[in-house]
């Protein structure tokens, strides 16, 4: 499964961005999609998950109420998953990755969003928030 992220940019503090993750058509019928972010020198952190075609979303406390994950399954050739980032803070500066897993989002929230539970990864998109 090839995942391709886009939408990262340099933005002022308090600003917004929408990240996209393009996946082959019908990927969400088999996989949940998870957004992670990584800052150099720190562990990759899971922040949001969408549970396949049901569209149920889950968030970590660090982004809850500021980030919104959604999906568009209507396109002919791909499934697209979005992460809307609002009220961005310098602490949100990171490389953002989407990943696919056959596990449920509920399971991931219980086990701590382990990178080892992901089966496929994109190459990431860079988000930089200026203060």
């Amino acid at each position: 499964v090839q995942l391709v992220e886009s939408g990262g940019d340099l933005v002022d503090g308090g600003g917004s961005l929408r990240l996209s993750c393009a996946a082959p058509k019908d990927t969400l019928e088999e996989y949940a999609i998870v957004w992670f972010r990584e800052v150099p020198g720190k562990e990759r952190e899971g922040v949001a998950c969408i549970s396949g075609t049901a569209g149920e979303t889950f968030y970590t406390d660090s982004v809850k109420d500021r980030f919104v994950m959604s999906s568009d399954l209507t396109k002919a050739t791909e499934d697209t998953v979005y992460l809307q980032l609002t009220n961005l803070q310098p602490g949100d500066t990171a490389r953002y990755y989407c990943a696919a897993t056959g596990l449920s989002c509920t399971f991931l929230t219980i086990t701590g969003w382990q990178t080892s539970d992901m089966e496929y990864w994109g190459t990431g998109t860079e988000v930089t928030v200026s203060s």
Side-chain angles (χ1 to χ4, degrees), residues 1 17 20 45 49 53 60 94 96 102 104 116 118-119 131:
V1 173
L17 281 175
S20 299
E45 172 195 21
C49 182
T53 56
T60 56
Y96 285 71
S104 71
S116 57
M118 303 300 114
E119 295 177 48
S131 55

Side-chain angles (χ1 to χ4, degrees), residues 5-70:
E5 302 94 333
S6 61
D9 205 345
L10 170 63
V11 64
D12 291 334
S16 300
L17 281 175
R18 189 175 77 164
L19 307 183
S20 299
C21 172
K25 184 66 178 171
D26 297 332
T27 294
L28 269 71
E29 290 191 1
E30 292 188 53
Y31 298 96
I33 301 296
V34 188
W35 282 99
F36 284 80
R37 63 184 182 185
E38 185 174 14
V39 175
K42 293 188 177 181
E43 288 188 8
R44 197 169 289 191
E45 172 195 21
V47 296
C49 182
I50 192 163
S51 58
T53 56
E56 192 174 10
T57 53
F58 300 76
Y59 305 93
T60 56
D61 288 342
S62 60
V63 305
K64 199 174 182 180
D65 300 326
R66 297 190 301 121
F67 291 6
V68 177
M69 195 169 179
S70 61

Side-chain angles (χ1 to χ4, degrees), residues 40-116:
K42 293 188 177 181
E43 288 188 8
R44 197 169 289 191
E45 172 195 21
V47 296
C49 182
I50 192 163
S51 58
T53 56
E56 192 174 10
T57 53
F58 300 76
Y59 305 93
T60 56
D61 288 342
S62 60
V63 305
K64 199 174 182 180
D65 300 326
R66 297 190 301 121
F67 291 6
V68 177
M69 195 169 179
S70 61
S71 62
D72 180 355
L73 308 181
T74 65
K75 298 178 183 178
T77 59
E78 70 176 38
D79 290 346
T80 308
V81 174
Y82 301 103
L83 186 66
Q84 180 71 42
L85 289 61
T86 62
N87 191 21
L88 282 162
Q89 303 301 314
D92 296 315
T93 294
R95 190 165 186 85
Y96 285 71
Y97 298 85
C98 64
T101 176
L103 300 171
S104 71
C105 294
T106 302
F107 179 87
L108 297 178
T109 62
I110 294 170
T111 57
W113 308 75
Q114 301 298 320
T115 56
S116 57

